[in-house]
Amino acid sequence: MRVVDDGVDLRGMESNDSGRLRLEHDGDHWCLVGEGADQLGLVDEYLSHLGDRNYSPKTLRAYGFDLVVFGRWLLGEGLDLEDVTTPVLLRFLAACRAAWLPGRPGPNVVDLRGRRLDGYAATTINRRLVAVSGLFAFRAMRDPTLPNPVPKGREAHRVTPGGRTGLLAHLVRRPRPRSALRLREPTRLPRPLNVEEATRLLGSLRTWRDRAIAGLMLYCGLRSCEVLALDIADVDIGRGWLRVWGKGARERAVPLDGDVAQAIQAYLFLERPESDSTRVFLVSKGPHRGQPLTAAGLRTIFRYHRGLTGVTAGHPHALRHSFGTALAEAGVDLAVMQTLLGHAHVDTTARYIHLAPKRVKEEFDAARARIRRQV
């Protein structure tokens, strides 16, 4: 049985109190233990419900931590779930915005836009609201007579120009109403690596395993979790294709770059330790040799090479962003980009269109030339 505690409350203070409300995983499902867990039994049922609906383990863990924070706040306020109303949720969100994180600059330090640098991001607070909203929606599903304290706002924009309509309209995800309590989130564009940074980072990799992993993200656009989930049967080196399992257990076929295929082949023949595991990438050294490489192990590898090369932006996902940016700059069709990157919605893929400075500069120069000819 594994006990997990995020160690941070709404005031940012750490606590080693073993009786404190915390999240626990017994190998099958997540549940709350500690002080006040009996009052929050609905949370355990909700997390089990999400598990039955095939939600990913990472989503369950994130929602569990968010509900632990919500439960601790309710206990501190002397409230039960039955006492939660819309004003109570507003107070909870205000407490989240006022919270500070240890190890961050003080509240008097702000960024160029005037935002504090010691608190939670708007995305984190909105995710907590999503977890709480799902909890009360689950309660309303079980007992329709109980009110849902989370107000609904306008429907989220999911229909894009050129989307499926008519007989194919059922293939489009229906718009979902978003809560009016959501915070505005800043729109951030993916930050790719430039050619010099990517060359330095890949040049520091010494093993065939690490080169193959980086190549799959940089030249094939795979997510780090997709790379770690690759089985040997998913790699068809002869035909040059990969079978990739993405988010939501969605399967897609991705072309395999020739150089990356050679790196994978060299790793399988020269470096991969003997193991009963079907995963492609395994731990090479230490007591866990032969076991599947974990996300923590992958982060350790990239953290070491970031320090070695000085490429501070050399995170695994930055390589995937570089792949998407290269596709946009090459003028690849948006639908093809969506298929290669495994995005569920074309809106996510469209972010990379704004990251094609070469194409923007060419269009700008052409427009300026036309204007000058007309003047």
Side-chain angles (χ1 to χ4, degrees), residues 26-86:
D26 61 1
D28 295 325
H29 61 277
W30 294 96
C31 59
L32 301 185
V33 297
E35 179 185 353
D38 296 338
Q39 303 172 232
L40 301 170
L42 182 67
V43 173
D44 298 344
E45 299 177 17
Y46 173 57
L47 294 177
S48 298
H49 169 69
L50 294 183
D52 294 339
R53 293 184 60 192
N54 202 27
Y55 274 60
S56 73
K58 291 183 178 180
T59 300
L60 290 176
R61 184 177 183 272
Y63 281 14
F65 277 139
D66 294 334
L67 293 173
V68 164
V69 173
F70 182 58
R72 289 176 182 173
W73 183 84
L74 288 178
L75 294 174
E77 296 290 320
L79 299 173
D80 294 329
L81 288 176
E82 292 73 15
D83 303 324
V84 176
T85 60
T86 301

Side-chain angles (χ1 to χ4, degrees), residues 212-233:
I213 290 175
L216 285 171
M217 290 184 283
L218 180 60
Y219 299 117
C220 301
L222 270 62
R223 301 179 178 93
S224 58
C225 59
E226 295 170 345
V227 172
L228 298 178
L230 278 177
D231 284 339
I232 295 178

Side-chain angles (χ1 to χ4, degrees), residues 256-279:
L256 178 60
D257 178 81
D259 294 336
V260 178
Q262 293 180 8
I264 294 176
Q265 192 169 26
Y267 164 69
L268 293 177
F269 281 105
L270 302 177
E271 291 182 357
R272 188 177 186 272
E274 294 184 4
S275 174
D276 296 332
S277 175
T278 59
R279 291 287 189 262

